[in-house]
Amino acid sequence: MNTLVKHRLFWPVTMLVVLLLSNLIFTPTFFKVEVRDGHLYGSLIDIVRFGAPLIMVALGMTLVIATGGIDLSVGSVVAICGALACWRISEQGDQNSVSGVLVAVALALGLALLLGAWNGFLVAVVGIQPIIATLILMVAGRGLAQLITDGQIITINSSPYKLIGGGYLFTVPFAILIALAVTALAVLLTRRTALGMLIESVGGNAEASRLAGIHSRRITLMAYIVAGLCAGVAGLMISSNVSSADGNNAGLWYELDAILAVVIGGTSLAGGRFSIAGTVVGALLIQTLTTTIYTTGIPPETTLLFKALVVTIVCLVQSPAFRAKVFQGRRRPAPPPAGPTSATAEKVEVPA
């Protein structure tokens, strides 16, 4: 049992289960999953479906944080890619053209790769601090998204594009399948090859890794490119789900939710060891918390405060130092072993 408690996923999974069970108080049918018109429906399905974009962003953020960096621009990349794809589709004569939608998706993902490479170039090659380098794109990128949309909300009516975030395949939401595929690929590349060890090495000590023959700059650059690509896919999911692009609000504060998901999952902000499974659990926990807020009818003006409170509790509970102070501090110290009294000591005869 002690080994289980010390596992890095124990507390995140426990808090996720507790949060899910608490919804039964307000929604008795919360765990009910049914098939309607050949599609899976239910609160659990909605949590995973709406959490898929956050899972995508958090996966990319995991690799960046594992290298000892941070990416504050992922929310802006989400907005840019969704805006570019919707703008390209809105300019087509036939918005239901599959080839036209594929071109729009390719352009958006290509731009996401370039934006990720830009962040990686500033961090790995130029040597700018990650928080400053990505803050540049965080601010400028939001303006670029609004420039693409001309400050308006672009609405489209494209069935092929709708499939990405709001469609179904084999009764399962297509967004869930994308998130599962990307997660499986990330696990395969980082745990079945040497890539994961190289990333952890760079995050632990980039200079020592370089001296050991590891191309630390390439690893760092790759991490930011992957983060940009994952954010681009998330942008396509979000915009296709609502069939519109909002350069101002799309992906807003997604970078903070992604960082929280990574930290809750057990990855250290100092870099080094990381957990893909923990990140997925953390993203699902945050999405479950958002769903719980809406389900319980918490006033909108207190939503962010309630969310921050719960996340704080989760982080404290999974902290070994905090648990040691709270739970072990209550235990009374064991009394010292009883030694011989002075009277008894006087009776002890010393052998000749």
Side-chain angles (χ1 to χ4, degrees), residues 52 105 273:
V105 169
R273 297 188 63 183

Side-chain angles (χ1 to χ4, degrees), residues 96-172:
N96 290 317
S97 172
V98 176
S99 60
V101 170
L102 290 177
V103 170
V105 169
L107 287 175
L109 294 182
L111 181 57
L113 287 173
L114 289 177
L115 295 175
W118 168 254
N119 284 334
F121 172 78
L122 293 181
V123 174
V125 180
V126 180
I128 300 177
Q129 289 291 329
I131 193 172
I132 301 300
T134 57
L135 184 62
I136 296 172
L137 184 57
M138 176 185 177
V139 177
R142 188 66 60 176
L144 178 59
Q146 295 188 55
L147 183 64
I148 295 174
T149 62
D150 198 22
Q152 306 295 321
I153 297 178
I154 299 177
T155 57
I156 59 175
N157 185 16
S158 174
S159 297
Y161 189 66
K162 181 74 174 179
L163 172 67
I164 299 175
Y168 291 80
L169 183 64
F170 307 122
T171 74
V172 181

